Amino acid sequence: MQNTDTVAELVIATPSAIPVLERLQIDYCCHGGRSITEACTSAGITTHELLRLIESTPQSQETQVLEGMSLAAMMSFIVDIHHSFTRSTLETLQGLAVKVRDHHGPRHLELVAVEKLIQEMAIELIPHMMKEEQVLFPYVKALESAIELGLDAPVPFFGTVRNPIKKMMLEHETVGEKMAEVRALTGDFKVPADGCASYTALYDTLFALEQDLHRHIHIENNVLFPRAVAMEGDRQAAFVGTYGEHVCQH
């Protein structure tokens, strides 16, 4: 680990860093481009201390499974695991938020804001995942398949894969900010002394959503999207090279 490496590079190279970064509340998904030194300074820890914590943490099997995956397999993993979890969890949270706010809202005014943020995240994440599943992912899959088969690359209506990726990353950042706001409002998901079982379930489920979103966004922002951009760039360069040589011969 070099001090000049980014947090995203650290997580890609060392998956066992994820639980450590989670405990330290170091963002490795939406802001994974920060240097390790900068992130450690913000968290009040030295890079040497971070390294010792990572070395004492078992390897993450969840992230290891992505090693060597094709982009098609990676996208299927995202949809089957993370998108499925996000949809079902948001549905659960919406019901829990109303129930807990109705019962505890008069004594815990922050629950009104928490419920509002959950609704906003649902409104943003559901169409976000649909755009990935219906537009971006099919194009990346078709591009990868064309390269494997030696066929012409598909021509997307959005010009280049960079355009929808930029949009997806901005939406990731927006949701990440809302999730951070939820954590702040709930005091790091700490259930108050008068909290009931539903209150506990709400905060536990919010914590689970946060953890899954971090991994979900990390895979897309730091692994899938850069590989898709590079793949498209390589394909375009090969096309220009081939047809450039053909034109020169005439």
Side-chain angles (χ1 to χ4, degrees):
M1 179 179 72
Q2 302 295 321
N3 290 348
T4 54
D5 290 345
T6 66
V7 178
E9 290 169 340
L10 168 64
V11 172
I12 292 169
T14 313
S16 58
I18 288 178
V20 175
L21 297 177
E22 291 284 4
R23 290 198 302 272
L24 296 172
Q25 295 186 33
I26 293 176
D27 185 349
Y28 59 90
C29 49
C30 292
H31 297 96
R34 287 196 304 169
S35 71
I36 294 171
T37 301
E38 181 185 356
C40 286
T41 299
S42 298
I45 189 173
T46 68
T47 55
H48 294 296
E49 289 170 332
L50 177 64
L51 181 59
R52 285 199 297 271
L53 288 172
I54 292 171
E55 288 176 342
S56 65
T57 302
Q59 278 286 337
S60 168
Q61 294 180 350
E62 176 188 5
T63 306
Q64 283 181 317
V65 75
L66 298 172
E67 294 181 4
M69 266 191 178
S70 66
L71 294 190
M74 190 178 300
M75 289 182 291
S76 293
F77 177 85
I78 290 169
V79 173
D80 294 343
I81 303 300
H82 293 295
H83 283 195
S84 177
F85 177 85
T86 300
R87 285 190 173 95
S88 63
T89 302
L90 285 170
E91 184 177 355
T92 299
L93 282 170
Q94 286 173 300
L96 278 171
V98 172
K99 182 178 180 180
V100 175
R101 186 256 302 151
D102 283 346
H103 188 70
H104 295 275
R107 296 183 303 281
H108 299 282
L109 300 181
E110 71 278 1
L111 289 171
V112 175
V114 169
E115 180 191 5
K116 182 175 181 289
L117 285 166
I118 290 170
Q119 296 295 344
E120 289 175 356
M121 286 192 290
I123 289 171
E124 293 166 4
L125 278 168
I126 299 304
H128 171 90
M129 292 185 292
M130 288 181 63
K131 284 182 287 187
E132 289 184 338
E133 294 168 7
Q134 298 178 9
V135 178
L136 177 57
F137 289 2
Y139 168 70
V140 174
K141 183 177 180 180
L143 176 64
E144 184 176 53
S145 178
I147 291 173
E148 290 174 350
L149 297 173
L151 303 174
D152 290 338
V155 180
F157 71 86
F158 42 75
T160 169
V161 75
R162 290 180 177 84
N163 292 328
I165 282 177
K166 181 179 179 180
K167 176 67 173 175
M168 295 301 101
M169 291 182 71
L170 287 172
E171 292 178 359
H172 287 168
E173 187 166 349
T174 298
V175 170
E177 289 170 354
K178 291 185 186 300
M179 197 72 246
E181 190 174 351
V182 170
R183 174 179 275 275
L185 283 167
T186 60
D188 294 333
F189 310 109
K190 184 178 180 181
V191 179
D194 62 340
C196 62
S198 294
Y199 213 131
T200 300
L202 173 64
Y203 279 20
D204 285 351
T205 307
L206 280 167
F207 177 74
L209 177 65
E210 179 199 60
Q211 301 297 291
D212 190 79
L213 279 174
H214 287 171
R215 287 158 171 79
H216 176 179
I217 293 173
H218 160 65
I219 294 169
E220 292 187 356
N221 280 14
N222 301 328
V223 184
L224 174 64
F225 292 167
R227 282 183 59 185
V229 168
M231 180 180 292
E232 184 184 65
D234 290 345
R235 187 60 174 173
Q236 289 173 345
F239 176 85
V240 171
T242 300
Y243 283 88
E245 292 174 3
H246 179 74
V247 170
C248 289
Q249 291 173 0
H250 290 74

